[in-house]
Amino acid sequence: MLAVTMNISFLLLLLSTTCWAEPELQATQTSHQSPAGCMNNITIMSPPGVQGPPGPPGHYGEPGRPGNQGPPGKLGPQGLPGAPGSTTTDPPVHVVFTAVRTSNFGPNNEETTIPFQVVHTNIGGHFDKDTGHFTSPVRAVYHFSFNFLSRSSDYNLFVILKHNGHKITSTYEGKGRSAGGSAVLLLEKGDEVWLDLGKNYAIYDNANMYSSFSGFLLFTMEDDDLGKES
């Protein structure tokens, strides 16, 4: 009995000595202090808690600086050849005419359009010898000319070139003399040009065909060409 009591006392003394000899070491290794002032190294394990909900998203950061331009890419393969273009164009317009008289005309008691009896040239067919009118097939610039001989005995000559009824130019000459004139006109499609003989004037003619009226197309005009020329 005495021996057991001595052993227990020795153990208590040994524990007390260890606890007081290394208080700093024990304090750094434990988080629990015994009633005797001795730090004991005790680890308490517990199961993980339930995961909480995610927090709200943070604010967007400032945009980063643009990076350096990369090197050019490789040249791509050559594409397929395109379809051939259209070669369709409007055919050129040819307009030329010359007409003459073979007999006298006038005098008349009013201004009268001069008809013609022989057509030497009428490419395009736009001159009508019976009415004496030329009709423009396209918007274009044309040149017109005319020449006549007056009667030598009694009447003078007065001929007027008209465009859609408007006087463009005229020629006058005394008895037994010839006279003529010319003009360059911009005509719209469908415009008409003709010659009138003045009231109480006369034209002399025979098989020698002194009287003539001619015209031809110089060049066609697009709708916006007039503005470019002005």
Side-chain angles (χ1 to χ4, degrees):
M1 185 64 179
L2 179 61
V4 173
T5 301
M6 292 178 64
N7 288 337
I8 291 173
S9 298
F10 177 74
L11 288 173
L12 291 174
L13 179 61
L14 182 61
L15 287 173
S16 175
T17 303
T18 302
C19 207
W20 286 104
E22 301 180 7
E24 294 181 1
L25 179 61
Q26 292 295 328
T28 60
Q29 294 179 348
T30 65
S31 60
H32 177 72
Q33 186 174 4
S34 65
C38 183
M39 301 297 290
N40 298 320
N41 188 9
I42 300 173
T43 302
I44 301 174
M45 302 296 294
S46 62
V50 179
Q51 183 175 358
H59 296 291
Y60 285 104
E62 295 294 330
R65 295 180 180 178
N68 297 328
Q69 183 176 357
K74 294 182 179 180
L75 184 65
Q78 183 175 358
L80 298 176
S86 173
T87 58
T88 302
T89 57
D90 294 332
V93 179
H94 301 291
V95 178
V96 179
F97 74 90
T98 292
V100 298
R101 288 193 56 82
T102 57
S103 64
N104 295 339
F105 183 72
N108 301 307
N109 58 6
E110 61 182 359
E111 191 174 289
T112 307
T113 301
I114 303 171
F116 290 83
Q117 295 153 311
V118 176
V119 175
H120 291 308
T121 305
N122 194 12
I123 296 175
H126 302 292
F127 180 75
D128 187 330
K129 69 181 181 65
D130 297 324
T131 64
H133 282 221
F134 167 78
T135 303
S136 172
V138 294
R139 188 175 195 262
V141 175
Y142 299 84
H143 178 271
F144 298 95
S145 62
F146 55 93
N147 192 74
F148 294 93
L149 178 65
S150 65
R151 290 168 59 166
S152 60
S153 59
D154 46 9
Y155 290 99
N156 295 331
L157 176 70
F158 182 50
V159 175
I160 308 160
L161 177 69
K162 289 191 173 182
H163 169 208
N164 290 346
H166 300 287
K167 180 179 177 180
I168 300 300
T169 187
S170 62
T171 186
Y172 172 86
E173 191 53 80
K175 299 173 184 179
R177 298 185 180 186
S178 64
S182 63
V184 175
L185 300 176
L186 170 62
L187 303 183
E188 301 294 335
K189 182 178 180 180
D191 282 3
E192 294 186 344
V193 175
W194 65 87
L195 295 168
D196 278 356
L197 179 65
K199 178 182 177 180
N200 296 325
Y201 291 88
I203 296 169
Y204 175 75
D205 221 319
N206 55 31
N208 290 323
M209 296 178 283
Y210 301 113
S211 306
S212 66
F213 182 28
S214 299
F216 56 89
L217 185 151
L218 293 172
F219 51 87
T220 58
M221 295 279 289
E222 299 295 334
D223 291 340
D224 58 346
D225 285 344
L226 187 60
K228 296 177 183 178
E229 296 291 332
S230 59

